[in-house]
Amino acid sequence: MTQTASPTPAQVISELKAGHERFKQANSIHPHASEARLHELEQSQAPHAAVLTCSDSRVAVELIFDSGFGDLFVIRNAGNSATPGTLASVEYAVEALQVPLVLVMSHSGCGAVGAACVPEHLLTPTLMDHVGHIRNGLKGAGLPFEPQVDLAHAYGLHAQITAQELINSSALLRKRLQSGQLEVHAACFVLHNLEINWLGSQRVA
C-alpha cells in the first residue's frame, strides 16, 4: 500500500481493493515487509485504515490486502463484534492516528456467527454472552431464523450490524462521519473464492 499524505476515504478504499486484487490474482508484491521499513516506523505510525475483522486464522488481513508494516491498524476478535475494547481501539485509530477509513470485515464460515445462528452449541458462559450479542443483533436486523438461517446472508449482515453499532456508540465516529473526514465500510470475505463482497459505507442513523 502506497504511503501518501492525508489520503481520502475513497483513495484508501481504492488501495485496499487494488491490494486485494493482487492477492486474488496471486500477484502480491508484499510491500513494506522489510526490516528497514519496520525501523522507519519505530517512533510513529500512520496507517491508512482501521480494519476490524475476526480472529479466525484464515483471515490474515495484511495478506488479503497485500499490505505490510504500518499500513493497517488491525483489530480482531471472535466474530468481529462491537465490544467496548473494539470501540476503544477504533476510536484510538480515528483520534490518535487520524485514519480516514474504518472497515468492518466479516467472513464466510465464521464460527461465532454460525454459533449465533445455531444456539444449541455448547459454549462457555463467556462465549454464550458474546454469541448472544451477535444473535440479538441479527434478530434485531430482521434475519429470519425459521425454518432455516441463511448463513451466507448472516455473515455479511453481521458486518453491517457491527459497523452501525460502532457508529451508534461513538460520538467521535459520528462527528467525523458528518464532517466527511471518515467513512465506515462493511465487507465480507468469502473463503472459497477469495472474493470480498463490499457492502458499502454506513451512515449515522
Side-chain angles (χ1 to χ4, degrees), residues 52 75-77 80-91 162 166:
L52 168 59
I75 307 149
R76 301 178 71 163
N77 64 37
N80 46 270
S81 295
T83 67
T86 295
L87 179 58
S89 298
V90 170
E91 289 188 331
T162 297
L166 293 174

Side-chain angles (χ1 to χ4, degrees), residues 3-8 12 41-51 69-75 86-102 172-173 176 181-182:
Q3 294 288 90
T4 57
S6 303
T8 66
V12 177
L41 299 168
E42 281 188 82
Q43 301 305 317
S44 65
Q45 59 173 317
H48 282 185
V51 182
F69 293 127
D71 293 330
L72 301 174
F73 187 86
V74 181
I75 307 149
T86 295
L87 179 58
S89 298
V90 170
E91 289 188 331
Y92 173 78
V94 171
E95 176 67 16
L97 304 179
Q98 298 293 306
V99 299
L101 181 83
V102 174
L172 170 66
L173 297 189
R176 294 292 177 92
Q181 296 172 281
L182 176 73

Side-chain angles (χ1 to χ4, degrees), residues 73-148:
F73 187 86
V74 181
I75 307 149
R76 301 178 71 163
N77 64 37
N80 46 270
S81 295
T83 67
T86 295
L87 179 58
S89 298
V90 170
E91 289 188 331
Y92 173 78
V94 171
E95 176 67 16
L97 304 179
Q98 298 293 306
V99 299
L101 181 83
V102 174
L103 173 65
V104 179
M105 187 174 73
S106 59
H107 68 97
S108 64
C110 178
V113 173
C117 294
V118 187
E120 61 265 24
H121 283 319
L122 295 177
L123 303 171
T124 68
T126 305
L127 279 171
M128 283 293 291
D129 286 344
H130 189 71
V131 166
H133 176 80
I134 296 173
R135 181 177 176 83
N136 289 339
L138 291 169
K139 279 190 166 184
L143 180 74
F145 277 74
E146 299 294 342
Q148 186 174 347

